[in-house]
């Protein structure tokens, strides 16, 4: 593993690189960092050169804008691809990483060779918003009660304090939680025209018990021009870890079919 920082349009992005071959960019979920991919790396580095960045404001990547926005984070990924000199990488994102990958497809069609959208939505349901508010300890209004969150979910706060202290220190979690709350609770408001702008091949990868993500998946499949749908049985939003080998197998089936393989193309 080689970890480094790189400047990408004013953002100091931390990323780690593994393996050799065609580039595969892994985009982690909300509250996580690039290290969350550790259990999946053996499967992916067997076939690809893997680039795993920390998203804006997460882990070891800074956030000079002091806010989180999926559109801006997609711009960050595009800037990172350019800064690293990657030629049409494959992109796999999960949860918030999937939302960023979807934005990347809408805003930068053709920049990626193909996209895997894991646990991804194209609108936020009332059930999802309720779950997000519960995780963050929001009971009234839209503001996070930091004292209540620390009291009721000390393990979660301890995790945030540890994983996201690298740039701004151990108390940054308080700022981070407020920013992630705004990200999660702001409606997406995508139109069919927005989704029609995605021209890259897409795999929608979802568990069959993943709430709004599962319910929306067939409609998202219809709204995207060139999409496939894989549904993992007996799986909720956490199946990326609960059934990691199944997640990897479903993702790899798609990624290997869409990599830039000269022998396959010439054949």
């Amino acid at each position: 593993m080689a970890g480094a920082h790189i400047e990408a349009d004013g953002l100091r992005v931390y990323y780690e690189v593994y393996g050799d071959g065609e580039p595969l960019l892994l985009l982690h979920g909300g509250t996580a960092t690039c290290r969350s991919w550790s259990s999946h790396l053996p499967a992916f580095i067997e076939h690809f050169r893997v680039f795993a960045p920390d998203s804006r404001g997460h882990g070891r990547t800074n956030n000079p804008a002091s806010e989180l926005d999926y559109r801006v984070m997609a711009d960050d990924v595009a800037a990172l691809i350019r800064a690293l000199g990657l030629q049409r990488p494959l992109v796999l994102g999960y949860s918030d990483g999937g939302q960023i990958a979807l934005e990347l497809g809408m805003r930068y069609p053709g920049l990626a060779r193909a996209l895997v959208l894991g646990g991804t939505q194209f609108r936020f349901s009332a059930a999802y918003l309720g779950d997000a508010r519960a995780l963050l300890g929001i009971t009234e209004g839209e503001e996070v009660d930091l004292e209540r969150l620390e009291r009721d979910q000390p393990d979660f706060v301890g995790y945030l304090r540890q994983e996201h202290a690298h740039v701004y220190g151990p108390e940054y979690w308080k700022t981070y939680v407020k920013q992630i709350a705004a990200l999660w609770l702001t409606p997406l408001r995508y139109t069919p025209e927005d989704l029609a702008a995605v021209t890259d091949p897409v795999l929608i990868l979802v568990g069959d018990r993943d709430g709004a993500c599962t319910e929306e998946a067939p409609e998202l499949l219809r709204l995207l021009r060139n999409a496939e749908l894989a549904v993992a049985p007996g799986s909720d939003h956490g199946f990326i870890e609960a059934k990691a080998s199944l997640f990897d197998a479903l993702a790899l089936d798609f990624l290997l079919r869409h990599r830039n393989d000269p022998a396959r193309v010439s054949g």
Side-chain angles (χ1 to χ4, degrees), residues 126-147:
Y128 158 79
L129 293 171
D131 290 344
R133 290 166 63 90
L135 176 62
L136 296 172
I138 301 174
T139 56
E140 297 180 5
E142 300 298 326
E143 289 294 320
V144 179
D145 185 334
L146 295 174
E147 291 183 0

Side-chain angles (χ1 to χ4, degrees), residues 36-220:
S36 65
W37 293 106
S38 59
S39 63
H40 305 272
L41 290 174
F44 294 132
I45 63 178
E46 183 178 347
H47 306 281
F48 303 105
R49 183 166 177 79
V50 173
F51 295 81
D54 282 347
S55 293
R56 170 185 292 264
H58 293 67
R60 292 170 171 82
T61 296
N62 67 347
N63 185 13
S66 299
E67 63 179 358
L68 297 174
D69 179 279
Y70 291 125
R71 292 162 180 81
V72 173
M73 294 162 90
D75 292 341
D76 295 340
V77 173
L80 178 63
I81 289 171
R82 292 191 294 265
L84 292 171
L86 304 182
Q87 299 299 313
R88 300 196 69 204
L90 296 158
V91 176
L92 188 165
Y94 196 78
S95 196
D96 274 6
Q99 302 299 149
I100 296 167
L102 178 58
E103 283 277 359
L104 186 74
M106 289 190 289
R107 296 170 63 81
Y108 299 92
L111 184 62
R113 187 169 301 280
L115 306 167
V116 178
L117 309 180
T120 303
Q121 307 174 72
F122 68 95
R123 59 179 169 237
F124 288 162
S125 69
Y128 158 79
L129 293 171
D131 290 344
R133 290 166 63 90
L135 176 62
L136 296 172
I138 301 174
T139 56
E140 297 180 5
E142 300 298 326
E143 289 294 320
V144 179
D145 185 334
L146 295 174
E147 291 183 0
R148 176 173 179 165
L149 184 63
E150 191 166 18
R151 182 184 66 246
D152 294 349
Q153 301 189 56
D155 291 343
F156 179 47
V157 170
Y159 164 80
L160 296 177
R161 191 190 301 272
Q162 176 180 333
E163 293 299 311
H164 303 297
H166 302 284
V167 178
Y168 300 112
E171 296 306 299
Y172 166 69
W173 73 271
K174 298 175 182 178
T175 299
Y176 171 79
V177 164
K178 293 179 180 179
Q179 293 174 359
I180 204 82
L183 179 72
W184 289 353
L185 299 178
T186 300
L188 294 171
R189 295 194 176 95
Y190 297 143
T191 67
E193 291 74 24
D194 291 331
L195 296 167
V198 180
T199 58
D200 311 312
V202 170
L203 172 66
I204 304 163
L205 178 53
V206 66
D208 65 349
R209 289 164 170 77
D210 193 1
C213 295
T214 304
E215 295 168 6
E216 290 184 1
E219 186 175 355
L220 183 57

Side-chain angles (χ1 to χ4, degrees), residues 3-16:
H5 281 90
I6 191 169
E7 293 291 328
D9 280 3
L11 196 67
R12 190 168 186 263
V13 181
Y14 176 80
Y15 68 100
E16 296 180 356

